[in-house]
Amino acid sequence: MQHTSSSAHPAPAADAARHYTLSDFDFELPPELIAQHPAAERSASRLLDGRAETPVDRIFKDLPDLLQPGDLLVFNNTRVIKARLYGAKQSGGAVEALVERVLPNNEVLAHMRASKSPKPGAVVRFADAFDAEVLGRGGPDGGLFHLRLSGDPFELLDQYGHVPLPPYITHADEADDVRRYQTVFASAPGAVAAPTAALHFDEALLDAMRAKGIRTAEVTLHVGAGTFQPVRTDNLAEHKMHSEWFEVPATTVALIEATKAAGGRVISVGTTTLRALESAALHAPAGTTLEAGSRDTDIFITPGFQFKVVDVLITNFHLPKSTLMMLVSAFAGYEHIKALYSHAISQGYRFFSYGDAMLIQR
């Protein structure tokens, strides 16, 4: 779904009148700036403070000094599952699968790569350890494979799966990726990609936040592989957004409403958290900020979108031509984001999932 109502502050409001095409969100990125490994220490990543017109280069552990008592940090507590599996068809042909969603009754929806797609009724042997029966095709556009595993999917993936590192990370998953491609507070298994802005937080930084009177809340959005899919239509209105499951607890809604009432700011840690919160706001009953509960969202945020919940966003640097480039441009203003990215590239910031972060506001 595309929303193009006017935004809440002057610069992005001007963006609403402009017609954007895919090429507006393209930029040249030197390949050496694509981070292949995380910083040695989570909170030692760089932080581009882009709240004012002139950017300021900082370190992520400076964050508590940039926030105020009474602010509310909202995290995505999803846990990345070892969703990548390698196996073989009964014919011996190699199969690679990426589990996108775990369903009841030991069933999953998965992307599969094979020389010839397995047909319904076929059995695939994964990791030479367990079987999966192909039930058919499924998912929003029928592009995924519907499989029934021979045991509990979470247990089998944890034992035999591989960390689903993004396509631009060139090394095979290692022991360090099991630890670092996961937030320190991940608790709800189901994501196939990490909520990367939250990877910069460690326990010491969280303690420093609490000591300053900054409160925290959680949502769950199980990040899907669609987050890495490029937009292929020049006309943005023709892009079909991927769907992801999310939940906003009643306790988080209450904290957000109390924060707003007291004049505090809602700070979204990552675009996945923002998508969950703004999706929940779309369904809010009259007189409330957002609706608690769980559902799927295919929210597509482009310049002109009217934000109702999030005031400040912590986010990593995103892929050219991606829906997330469009989201941050909608949030902080197209020209401002363009200038921040130019600055980040000129100063050698590290990009994408294992890269550095920026702080922006609307």
Side-chain angles (χ1 to χ4, degrees):
M1 67 188 77
Q2 188 158 4
H3 307 274
T4 51
S5 47
S6 66
S7 184
H9 62 108
D15 291 346
R18 176 174 167 179
H19 178 70
Y20 288 91
T21 61
L22 183 59
S23 58
D24 289 318
F25 301 94
D26 196 12
F27 60 91
E28 287 292 323
L29 180 68
E32 62 271 17
L33 295 186
I34 300 173
Q36 296 296 319
H37 297 275
E41 183 188 339
R42 288 180 187 264
S43 60
S45 303
R46 296 172 74 189
L47 176 67
L48 180 57
D49 184 352
R51 293 172 299 163
E53 192 171 340
T54 304
V56 181
D57 300 310
R58 303 185 188 275
I59 301 297
F60 201 86
K61 62 178 64 172
D62 296 339
L63 188 62
D65 297 331
L66 310 181
L67 305 183
Q68 301 157 8
D71 284 343
L72 179 70
L73 273 173
V74 187
F75 295 98
N76 181 3
N77 67 7
T78 190
R79 185 171 185 81
V80 179
I81 56 177
K82 293 180 183 175
R84 184 164 281 123
L85 291 165
Y86 298 98
K89 296 183 288 186
Q90 288 163 312
S91 64
V95 175
E96 180 184 335
L98 181 70
V99 172
E100 175 80 18
R101 189 173 294 206
V102 177
L103 306 172
N105 305 315
N106 293 346
E107 296 174 14
V108 301
L109 293 174
H111 305 266
M112 288 182 74
R113 286 202 298 198
S115 54
K116 284 187 179 174
S117 294
K119 300 282 192 289
V123 174
V124 176
R125 183 80 172 166
F126 284 114
D128 204 21
F130 68 95
D131 293 329
E133 180 189 355
V134 179
L135 302 178
R137 303 299 279 264
D141 57 1
L144 299 175
F145 287 82
H146 187 183
L147 310 175
R148 183 187 294 121
L149 308 189
S150 56
D152 177 80
F154 289 117
E155 291 178 7
L156 292 172
L157 290 170
D158 193 52
Q159 191 167 358
Y160 301 108
H162 293 263
V163 179
L165 293 174
Y168 45 74
I169 290 180
T170 55
H171 66 268
D173 64 314
E174 302 161 354
D176 195 47
D177 296 304
V178 175
R179 183 175 62 90
R180 293 300 302 274
Y181 196 62
Q182 194 80 272
T183 65
V184 296
F185 43 76
S187 60
V192 301
T196 54
L199 295 177
H200 304 287
F201 286 83
D202 52 29
E203 296 295 351
L205 188 59
L206 291 169
D207 288 344
M209 295 285 184
R210 294 185 196 104
K212 189 165 178 179
I214 297 160
R215 291 182 297 177
T216 60
E218 294 184 346
V219 299
T220 305
L221 183 142
H222 290 325
V223 194
T227 193
F228 302 117
Q229 290 297 316
V231 178
R232 294 189 171 90
T233 60
D234 205 48
N235 179 358
L236 304 186
E238 294 173 2
H239 175 65
K240 178 165 172 45
M241 191 70 175
H242 62 284
S243 183
E244 293 166 317
W245 181 91
F246 77 96
E247 179 176 23
V248 177
T251 50
T252 294
V253 171
L255 278 165
I256 288 170
E257 291 184 337
T259 298
K260 295 274 190 189
R265 300 175 303 172
V266 174
I267 297 157
S268 175
V269 179
T271 56
T272 62
T273 298
L274 182 146
R275 292 182 72 238
L277 293 175
E278 297 296 340
S279 294
L282 293 175
H283 299 272
T288 61
T289 309
L290 63 174
E291 183 180 54
S294 62
R295 63 184 70 85
D296 278 1
T297 180
D298 61 356
I299 191 171
F300 184 20
I301 296 176
T302 57
F305 178 86
Q306 185 170 358
F307 293 89
K308 296 178 180 173
V309 183
V310 177
D311 303 302
V312 179
L313 174 64
I314 301 164
T315 182
N316 279 22
F317 295 94
H318 303 293
L319 292 159
K321 296 186 176 180
S322 64
T323 60
L324 297 179
M325 276 300 295
M326 297 165 197
L327 183 155
V328 295
S329 298
F331 189 80
Y334 175 79
E335 293 297 339
H336 186 53
I337 289 296
K338 214 169 144 184
L340 289 178
Y341 271 62
S342 290
H343 177 88
I345 290 168
S346 71
Q347 297 303 308
Y349 275 73
R350 302 164 76 244
F351 274 62
F352 307 159
S353 294
Y354 274 154
D356 297 314
M358 69 176 178
L359 180 69
I360 51 177
Q361 64 187 17
R362 60 185 180 95

